[in-house]
Amino acid sequence: QLELVESGGGLVQPGGSLRLSCKASALGYYAIAWFRQAPGKEREGVSCIGGNDGSTLYANSVKGRFTISKDNAKNTVYLEMNNLKPEDTAVYYCAGDFTCGSWYHNAMEYWGKGTLVTVSS
């Protein structure tokens, strides 16, 4: 059983930055992903980092603006978000599974409860 707790959400102006954290009970070789769900929209995958080789995946909408990374010693995965736009407003969830393959299907095994990011002036 993998437990995940997100933090770091908040209100930020357009063009600003935020760093989200996902604290895992034990990272091990789990792949960890970030998803988001905006009001009235379906949940979408944002990024994923592999457990074995640390390979990364990004949605086209965030490429070049968001960076996923992890600190195995702290059992924490980060999502650095830069040049934020109003359309990035959503509840952001971290999720874990054995590979990032599940990220493509929006079907990871373990989920956190989410943290709200609001981009507004």
Side-chain angles (χ1 to χ4, degrees):
Q1 186 76 15
L2 178 66
E3 296 180 357
L4 302 167
V5 179
E6 305 93 337
S7 62
L11 174 64
V12 62
Q13 292 186 343
S17 299
L18 275 179
R19 187 177 78 161
L20 304 183
S21 298
C22 173
K23 174 75 172 178
S25 53
L27 267 183
Y29 292 105
Y30 285 106
I32 302 294
W34 288 96
F35 292 81
R36 67 186 181 186
Q37 188 165 21
K41 295 189 176 180
E42 293 187 356
R43 186 174 64 199
E44 65 170 338
V46 175
S47 184
C48 190
I49 187 164
N52 290 325
D53 60 4
S55 57
T56 58
L57 298 169
Y58 295 95
N60 288 334
S61 58
V62 305
K63 274 182 184 176
R65 299 189 299 123
F66 291 12
T67 303
I68 192 170
S69 62
K70 63 178 178 177
D71 185 334
N72 287 325
K74 294 182 178 180
N75 288 317
T76 301
V77 172
Y78 303 100
L79 185 69
E80 184 75 35
M81 307 186 294
N82 297 314
N83 191 21
L84 282 161
K85 305 175 181 181
E87 52 263 42
D88 295 316
T89 295
V91 177
Y92 284 71
Y93 300 89
C94 70
D97 208 320
F98 294 108
T99 75
C100 281
S102 300
W103 178 74
Y104 291 105
H105 305 291
N106 207 338
M108 305 288 278
E109 183 71 21
Y110 304 102
W111 291 85
K113 294 183 178 181
T115 185
L116 176 63
V117 172
T118 304
V119 184
S120 175
S121 54

PDB file of all heavy atoms in Angstrom, residues 34-47:
ATOM      1  N   TRP A  34       1.664  13.149 -11.769  1.00  0.00           N
ATOM      2  CA  TRP A  34       0.771  14.247 -11.412  1.00  0.00           C
ATOM      3  C   TRP A  34      -0.369  14.303 -12.414  1.00  0.00           C
ATOM      4  O   TRP A  34      -0.148  14.204 -13.626  1.00  0.00           O
ATOM      5  CB  TRP A  34       1.513  15.581 -11.398  1.00  0.00           C
ATOM      6  CG  TRP A  34       2.442  15.734 -10.246  1.00  0.00           C
ATOM      7  CD1 TRP A  34       3.783  15.477 -10.224  1.00  0.00           C
ATOM      8  CD2 TRP A  34       2.105  16.194  -8.927  1.00  0.00           C
ATOM      9  NE1 TRP A  34       4.297  15.741  -8.982  1.00  0.00           N
ATOM     10  CE2 TRP A  34       3.287  16.191  -8.165  1.00  0.00           C
ATOM     11  CE3 TRP A  34       0.922  16.616  -8.316  1.00  0.00           C
ATOM     12  CZ2 TRP A  34       3.329  16.577  -6.826  1.00  0.00           C
ATOM     13  CZ3 TRP A  34       0.962  17.002  -6.996  1.00  0.00           C
ATOM     14  CH2 TRP A  34       2.149  16.979  -6.260  1.00  0.00           C
ATOM     15  N   PHE A  35      -1.575  14.464 -11.870  1.00  0.00           N
ATOM     16  CA  PHE A  35      -2.769  14.678 -12.675  1.00  0.00           C
ATOM     17  C   PHE A  35      -3.423  15.962 -12.194  1.00  0.00           C
ATOM     18  O   PHE A  35      -3.107  16.466 -11.111  1.00  0.00           O
ATOM     19  CB  PHE A  35      -3.760  13.514 -12.493  1.00  0.00           C
ATOM     20  CG  PHE A  35      -3.293  12.213 -13.070  1.00  0.00           C
ATOM     21  CD1 PHE A  35      -2.397  11.406 -12.383  1.00  0.00           C
ATOM     22  CD2 PHE A  35      -3.757  11.778 -14.300  1.00  0.00           C
ATOM     23  CE1 PHE A  35      -1.959  10.196 -12.912  1.00  0.00           C
ATOM     24  CE2 PHE A  35      -3.333  10.569 -14.840  1.00  0.00           C
ATOM     25  CZ  PHE A  35      -2.438   9.783 -14.142  1.00  0.00           C
ATOM     26  N   ARG A  36      -4.348  16.469 -12.967  1.00  0.00           N
ATOM     27  CA  ARG A  36      -5.120  17.633 -12.529  1.00  0.00           C
ATOM     28  C   ARG A  36      -6.544  17.534 -13.047  1.00  0.00           C
ATOM     29  O   ARG A  36      -6.795  16.905 -14.077  1.00  0.00           O
ATOM     30  CB  ARG A  36      -4.461  18.932 -12.977  1.00  0.00           C
ATOM     31  CG  ARG A  36      -4.462  19.160 -14.489  1.00  0.00           C
ATOM     32  CD  ARG A  36      -3.662  20.407 -14.815  1.00  0.00           C
ATOM     33  NE  ARG A  36      -3.639  20.692 -16.257  1.00  0.00           N
ATOM     34  CZ  ARG A  36      -2.929  21.654 -16.807  1.00  0.00           C
ATOM     35  NH1 ARG A  36      -2.148  22.436 -16.049  1.00  0.00           N
ATOM     36  NH2 ARG A  36      -2.976  21.840 -18.116  1.00  0.00           N
ATOM     37  N   GLN A  37      -7.429  18.160 -12.307  1.00  0.00           N
ATOM     38  CA  GLN A  37      -8.822  18.202 -12.720  1.00  0.00           C
ATOM     39  C   GLN A  37      -9.376  19.589 -12.452  1.00  0.00           C
ATOM     40  O   GLN A  37      -9.438  20.030 -11.303  1.00  0.00           O
ATOM     41  CB  GLN A  37      -9.656  17.146 -11.997  1.00  0.00           C
ATOM     42  CG  GLN A  37     -11.064  17.029 -12.537  1.00  0.00           C
ATOM     43  CD  GLN A  37     -11.770  15.767 -12.078  1.00  0.00           C
ATOM     44  OE1 GLN A  37     -11.402  15.148 -11.087  1.00  0.00           O
ATOM     45  NE2 GLN A  37     -12.795  15.356 -12.821  1.00  0.00           N
ATOM     46  N   ALA A  38      -9.743  20.250 -13.523  1.00  0.00           N
ATOM     47  CA  ALA A  38     -10.347  21.572 -13.430  1.00  0.00           C
ATOM     48  C   ALA A  38     -11.856  21.419 -13.285  1.00  0.00           C
ATOM     49  O   ALA A  38     -12.425  20.402 -13.683  1.00  0.00           O
ATOM     50  CB  ALA A  38     -10.010  22.386 -14.671  1.00  0.00           C
ATOM     51  N   PRO A  39     -12.520  22.427 -12.732  1.00  0.00           N
ATOM     52  CA  PRO A  39     -13.969  22.361 -12.562  1.00  0.00           C
ATOM     53  C   PRO A  39     -14.668  22.088 -13.882  1.00  0.00           C
ATOM     54  O   PRO A  39     -14.411  22.754 -14.886  1.00  0.00           O
ATOM     55  CB  PRO A  39     -14.327  23.749 -12.023  1.00  0.00           C
ATOM     56  CG  PRO A  39     -13.086  24.231 -11.364  1.00  0.00           C
ATOM     57  CD  PRO A  39     -11.957  23.690 -12.181  1.00  0.00           C
ATOM     58  N   GLY A  40     -15.532  21.078 -13.886  1.00  0.00           N
ATOM     59  CA  GLY A  40     -16.296  20.761 -15.070  1.00  0.00           C
ATOM     60  C   GLY A  40     -15.537  20.044 -16.165  1.00  0.00           C
ATOM     61  O   GLY A  40     -16.059  19.832 -17.258  1.00  0.00           O
ATOM     62  N   LYS A  41     -14.291  19.681 -15.886  1.00  0.00           N
ATOM     63  CA  LYS A  41     -13.479  19.001 -16.902  1.00  0.00           C
ATOM     64  C   LYS A  41     -13.033  17.635 -16.406  1.00  0.00           C
ATOM     65  O   LYS A  41     -13.033  17.345 -15.214  1.00  0.00           O
ATOM     66  CB  LYS A  41     -12.268  19.845 -17.268  1.00  0.00           C
ATOM     67  CG  LYS A  41     -12.628  21.158 -17.954  1.00  0.00           C
ATOM     68  CD  LYS A  41     -11.393  21.846 -18.478  1.00  0.00           C
ATOM     69  CE  LYS A  41     -11.758  23.109 -19.242  1.00  0.00           C
ATOM     70  NZ  LYS A  41     -10.544  23.791 -19.774  1.00  0.00           N
ATOM     71  N   GLU A  42     -12.615  16.805 -17.337  1.00  0.00           N
ATOM     72  CA  GLU A  42     -12.104  15.492 -16.979  1.00  0.00           C
ATOM     73  C   GLU A  42     -10.693  15.604 -16.414  1.00  0.00           C
ATOM     74  O   GLU A  42      -9.950  16.534 -16.725  1.00  0.00           O
ATOM     75  CB  GLU A  42     -12.105  14.580 -18.208  1.00  0.00           C
ATOM     76  CG  GLU A  42     -13.491  14.238 -18.712  1.00  0.00           C
ATOM     77  CD  GLU A  42     -13.463  13.210 -19.822  1.00  0.00           C
ATOM     78  OE1 GLU A  42     -12.359  12.826 -20.256  1.00  0.00           O
ATOM     79  OE2 GLU A  42     -14.545  12.788 -20.256  1.00  0.00           O
ATOM     80  N   ARG A  43     -10.335  14.627 -15.618  1.00  0.00           N
ATOM     81  CA  ARG A  43      -8.984  14.576 -15.092  1.00  0.00           C
ATOM     82  C   ARG A  43      -7.999  14.303 -16.226  1.00  0.00           C
ATOM     83  O   ARG A  43      -8.268  13.500 -17.118  1.00  0.00           O
ATOM     84  CB  ARG A  43      -8.892  13.464 -14.045  1.00  0.00           C
ATOM     85  CG  ARG A  43      -7.579  13.399 -13.304  1.00  0.00           C
ATOM     86  CD  ARG A  43      -7.670  12.372 -12.201  1.00  0.00           C
ATOM     87  NE  ARG A  43      -7.881  11.033 -12.714  1.00  0.00           N
ATOM     88  CZ  ARG A  43      -8.354  10.019 -11.988  1.00  0.00           C
ATOM     89  NH1 ARG A  43      -8.685  10.223 -10.728  1.00  0.00           N
ATOM     90  NH2 ARG A  43      -8.518   8.832 -12.525  1.00  0.00           N
ATOM     91  N   GLU A  44      -6.856  14.991 -16.193  1.00  0.00           N
ATOM     92  CA  GLU A  44      -5.848  14.794 -17.229  1.00  0.00           C
ATOM     93  C   GLU A  44      -4.476  14.587 -16.622  1.00  0.00           C
ATOM     94  O   GLU A  44      -4.149  15.134 -15.569  1.00  0.00           O
ATOM     95  CB  GLU A  44      -5.811  15.996 -18.187  1.00  0.00           C
ATOM     96  CG  GLU A  44      -5.379  17.292 -17.554  1.00  0.00           C
ATOM     97  CD  GLU A  44      -5.125  18.405 -18.557  1.00  0.00           C
ATOM     98  OE1 GLU A  44      -4.886  18.100 -19.744  1.00  0.00           O
ATOM     99  OE2 GLU A  44      -5.140  19.582 -18.146  1.00  0.00           O
ATOM    100  N   GLY A  45      -3.685  13.781 -17.296  1.00  0.00           N
ATOM    101  CA  GLY A  45      -2.317  13.563 -16.852  1.00  0.00           C
ATOM    102  C   GLY A  45      -1.445  14.759 -17.152  1.00  0.00           C
ATOM    103  O   GLY A  45      -1.538  15.338 -18.230  1.00  0.00           O
ATOM    104  N   VAL A  46      -0.618  15.143 -16.208  1.00  0.00           N
ATOM    105  CA  VAL A  46       0.281  16.281 -16.355  1.00  0.00           C
ATOM    106  C   VAL A  46       1.712  15.820 -16.591  1.00  0.00           C
ATOM    107  O   VAL A  46       2.375  16.268 -17.524  1.00  0.00           O
ATOM    108  CB  VAL A  46       0.215  17.176 -15.107  1.00  0.00           C
ATOM    109  CG1 VAL A  46       1.244  18.298 -15.193  1.00  0.00           C
ATOM    110  CG2 VAL A  46      -1.186  17.738 -14.919  1.00  0.00           C
ATOM    111  N   SER A  47       2.175  14.902 -15.745  1.00  0.00           N
ATOM    112  CA  SER A  47       3.564  14.463 -15.840  1.00  0.00           C
ATOM    113  C   SER A  47       3.750  13.162 -15.073  1.00  0.00           C
ATOM    114  O   SER A  47       2.938  12.829 -14.205  1.00  0.00           O
ATOM    115  CB  SER A  47       4.486  15.550 -15.268  1.00  0.00           C
ATOM    116  OG  SER A  47       5.844  15.201 -15.418  1.00  0.00           O
TER     117      SER A  47
END
